Amino acid sequence: MKLSLVFAAAISSFFVGATTALGFSDQADALTFSGISTGTWGEPTPGSIDINPNPVYTGVGNNIFTWGDPNVCLPSPNPPSGCTITGSNKLTFTGNSFSTDINSVFKIADLAYFNGTVVKGTSVEEVPLNLNVSFSSPVGISQVFDLKLHLVNTPNDATNSEEENADFVFIDENLSNPTFTFEGNEYTLELTGFNPDLDQISIKALEGGTTKTAIYAKIKSIPEPATVAGLFLVGMYLISSKKLLEKKH
């Protein structure tokens, strides 16, 4: 086969691929996803036995998860000889309805985080979140996405400030983004964090305090429009290679 025929075949394949990708991109951009989310907590990971030898937790399979033995008696000024028990650490997940376009950040749920005072060694370090998303028509599918949150339980020190004794919750970004399929096309659901405008993957709660926030997400198409750019670069490379070969002959 002559070089010109090879080149023509390559360019033809490039334009077919580019047209297909562009058509997919246009179709995806025009699609609106709507539905409702719910969530339940899975079996947690206590972490090292040296750190949490006696983990205590409740709420597996429910939307409210608690961890840590709350039987810690803190001095109470009223009466001076009395004490108060704040309760266990707690995460409350509340789903909501949503409607979003491709690549748009949207609120997928609400999260309340209570930082209790618990017995040392009874906490856990990670808890999975089973996020159930039921898409409305035309998608019309329901799928559970497996996610995970990291729990940072800071040891309390009477000499520290409130900020230094605060605890944290982090979204695990090391997990691969879950995917789903609609009409033969693949999409991914990505948790973007706790802020619609900033890359914020953690929240904190002061000792005895509650932090309420929203969880935001984004739906992306696979392949993304970047694929078209990649095909374009391949085409430009083929054209440049052909011109270089022509100069040598």
Side-chain angles (χ1 to χ4, degrees):
M1 183 184 290
K2 294 182 179 179
L3 176 63
S4 58
L5 293 179
V6 175
F7 174 76
I11 290 297
S12 176
S13 298
F14 159 69
F15 278 113
V16 169
T19 302
T20 302
L22 283 171
F24 173 80
S25 177
D26 290 341
Q27 179 185 12
D29 289 342
L31 186 60
T32 297
F33 291 93
S34 60
I36 190 169
S37 68
T38 57
T40 59
W41 302 104
E43 191 72 26
T45 301
S48 169
I49 192 172
D50 295 328
I51 298 176
N52 293 314
N54 301 300
V56 176
Y57 55 88
T58 67
V60 174
N62 297 313
N63 73 311
I64 299 177
F65 178 75
T66 71
W67 69 100
D69 183 349
N71 293 318
V72 176
C73 188
L74 299 178
S76 174
N78 225 350
S81 59
C83 67
T84 181
I85 296 178
T86 63
S88 299
N89 303 305
K90 182 168 64 175
L91 284 173
T92 303
F93 181 93
T94 306
N96 60 246
S97 59
F98 62 87
S99 180
T100 183
D101 299 325
I102 291 291
N103 295 321
S104 296
V105 175
F106 66 99
K107 187 179 85 165
I108 197 167
D110 289 299
L111 186 70
Y113 171 37
F114 172 71
N115 179 6
T117 302
V118 301
V119 177
K120 183 179 180 181
T122 65
S123 293
V124 298
E125 292 187 355
E126 296 177 347
V127 60
L129 172 63
N130 306 312
L131 178 61
N132 187 357
V133 180
S134 297
F135 291 102
S136 305
S137 179
V139 180
I141 63 174
S142 181
Q143 184 163 332
V144 176
F145 299 99
D146 297 323
L147 307 167
K148 186 186 294 182
L149 297 181
H150 293 287
L151 312 173
V152 178
N153 307 290
T154 305
N156 296 324
D157 189 328
T159 63
N160 288 344
S161 66
E162 285 188 331
E163 292 288 335
E164 290 173 320
N165 284 334
D167 290 354
F168 297 83
V169 170
F170 286 82
I171 294 175
D172 189 345
E173 292 189 307
N174 295 321
L175 297 177
S176 58
N177 291 326
T179 62
F180 64 97
T181 302
F182 172 61
E183 292 188 344
N185 299 322
E186 193 174 14
Y187 301 87
T188 181
L189 177 70
E190 172 190 345
L191 289 191
T192 60
F194 300 110
N195 191 311
D197 304 313
L198 301 174
D199 183 20
Q200 180 186 341
I201 64 168
S202 69
I203 55 172
K204 69 178 179 181
L206 301 180
E207 196 68 26
T210 298
T211 296
K212 295 181 178 180
T213 185
I215 303 176
Y216 295 90
K218 180 188 294 186
I219 295 175
K220 296 181 179 180
S221 59
I222 304 175
E224 297 182 66
T227 303
V228 178
L231 289 170
F232 176 76
L233 291 175
V234 172
M236 294 302 295
Y237 170 78
L238 291 172
I239 293 172
S240 300
S241 298
K242 179 176 182 293
K243 289 182 178 180
L244 181 61
L245 288 173
E246 287 175 345
K247 288 181 179 179
K248 291 183 178 179
H249 287 289

